[in-house]
């Protein structure tokens, strides 16, 4: 049976923990395919996201070196809220025989029972969780409180503190344009993403270009 991973996110910007999580999942779950799905409208984030075209392009740059990975544009192209259940239903209709694995970080596990039709998600995909350091609820607590999630798989990703929020804050607090050699972002995002951010003036307090 084909094993397909589904990894959604704002990817604003995509960073090294996203890459590490993707690679860990491919290896550990023996995925035949991993779909990276940048969200269109993030109903669960309390801030407007960067333009979808930027997030899509950065995701393509970030994940291009990983085998078996593709960036899927369907949520960006879909009007209205990006609900994971809609994406899973569509993917399953396209590939009815495949087994689906939904990859999330521990912060999303803590919020999972607030997701739209979360029980339906569980009937269509196996949830696979990568712990995040400093997250509010430990995964063990969430699993105890939500028996339906006990079937979830723990991804063996070493804890990584990097977050898109911290990267955006770092860039916004930087005085002057980012150096094109990207020393500030080294180790946080892939080089191609750092160059893209710099070129388009993303996340700077005063953008240098549209
Ligand atoms: P933000 O800081 O803007 O909320 P983020 O760093 O959480 O962004 P997203 O694009 O929202 O990045 O994350 C996509 C998925 O990757 C989510 O399931 C999230 O939990 C997971 N993720 C992000 N960073 C990490 C990390 N350091 N460790 C484990 N999972 C992560």
């Amino acid at each position: 049976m084909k094993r397909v991973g589904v990894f959604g996110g704002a990817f604003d910007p995509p960073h090294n923990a996203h890459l590490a999580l993707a690679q860990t999942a491919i290896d550990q779950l023996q995925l035949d395919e991993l779909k990276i799905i940048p969200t269109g409208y993030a109903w669960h984030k309390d801030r407007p996201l960067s333009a979808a075209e930027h997030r899509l392009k950065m995701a393509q740059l970030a994940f291009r070196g990983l085998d078996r990975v593709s960036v899927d544009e369907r949520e960006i192209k879909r009007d209205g809220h990006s609900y994971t259940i809609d994406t899973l239903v569509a993917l399953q209709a396209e590939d009815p025989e495949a087994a689906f694995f939904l990859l999330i970080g521990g912060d999303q596990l803590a919020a999972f029972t607030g997701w739209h039709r979360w029980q339906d998600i569980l009937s269509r995909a196996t949830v696979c969780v990568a712990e995040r350091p400093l997250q509010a609820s430990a995964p063990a607590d969430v699993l105890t409180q939500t028996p339906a999630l006990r079937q979830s798989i723990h991804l063996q990703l070493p804890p990584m503190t990097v977050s898109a929020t911290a990267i955006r804050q770092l860039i916004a607090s930087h005085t002057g344009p980012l150096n094109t050699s990207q020393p500030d972002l080294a180790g946080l995002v892939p080089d191609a993403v750092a160059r893209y951010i710099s070129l388009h003036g993303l996340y700077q307090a005063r953008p240098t270009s549209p």
Side-chain angles (χ1 to χ4, degrees), residues 21 104-112 129-132 135-139 142:
L21 193 160
I104 60 174
D107 56 314
Q108 293 303 318
L109 176 69
F112 190 77
V129 184
E131 282 184 47
R132 291 186 83 161
Q135 64 198 49
S137 315
V142 179

Side-chain angles (χ1 to χ4, degrees), residues 7 10-11 15 17-18 45 105 107 132 160 162-165 168:
F7 186 26
F11 301 117
H15 53 64
H18 294 137
K45 298 251 183 195
D107 56 314
R132 291 186 83 161
M160 297 180 73
V162 57
S163 74
T165 302
R168 292 192 303 273

Side-chain angles (χ1 to χ4, degrees), residues 50-165:
S50 302
E53 59 175 291
H54 285 316
R55 294 183 295 105
L56 177 62
K57 187 68 196 165
M58 288 191 286
Q60 289 165 341
L61 291 170
F63 290 97
R64 67 183 170 183
L66 267 58
D67 278 350
R68 288 180 258 172
V69 175
S70 60
V71 177
D72 185 307
E73 303 180 20
R74 75 184 66 219
E75 288 195 3
I76 278 177
K77 288 186 169 156
R78 196 193 298 150
D79 285 335
H81 291 224
S82 289
Y83 289 128
T84 300
I85 184 63
D86 298 336
T87 303
L88 276 176
V89 168
L91 288 172
Q92 217 163 27
E94 287 165 22
D95 216 340
E97 301 304 320
F100 289 92
F101 296 84
L102 179 68
L103 317 184
I104 60 174
D107 56 314
Q108 293 303 318
L109 176 69
F112 190 77
T113 54
W115 285 28
H116 183 56
R117 292 175 56 198
W118 63 273
Q119 288 102 332
D120 292 340
I121 294 177
L122 292 179
S123 70
R124 290 174 183 272
T126 303
V127 171
C128 306
V129 184
E131 282 184 47
R132 291 186 83 161
L134 308 175
Q135 64 198 49
S137 315
D141 299 343
V142 179
L143 299 183
T144 317
Q145 287 152 20
T146 316
L149 279 168
R150 284 200 195 120
Q151 307 298 324
S152 60
I153 292 175
H154 177 255
L155 291 173
Q156 287 147 14
L157 178 73
M160 297 180 73
T161 52
V162 57
S163 74
T165 302

Side-chain angles (χ1 to χ4, degrees), residues 16 181-189 191 194:
N16 286 350
S181 63
Q182 320 311 328
D184 308 301
L185 295 178
L188 298 176
V189 299
D191 287 348

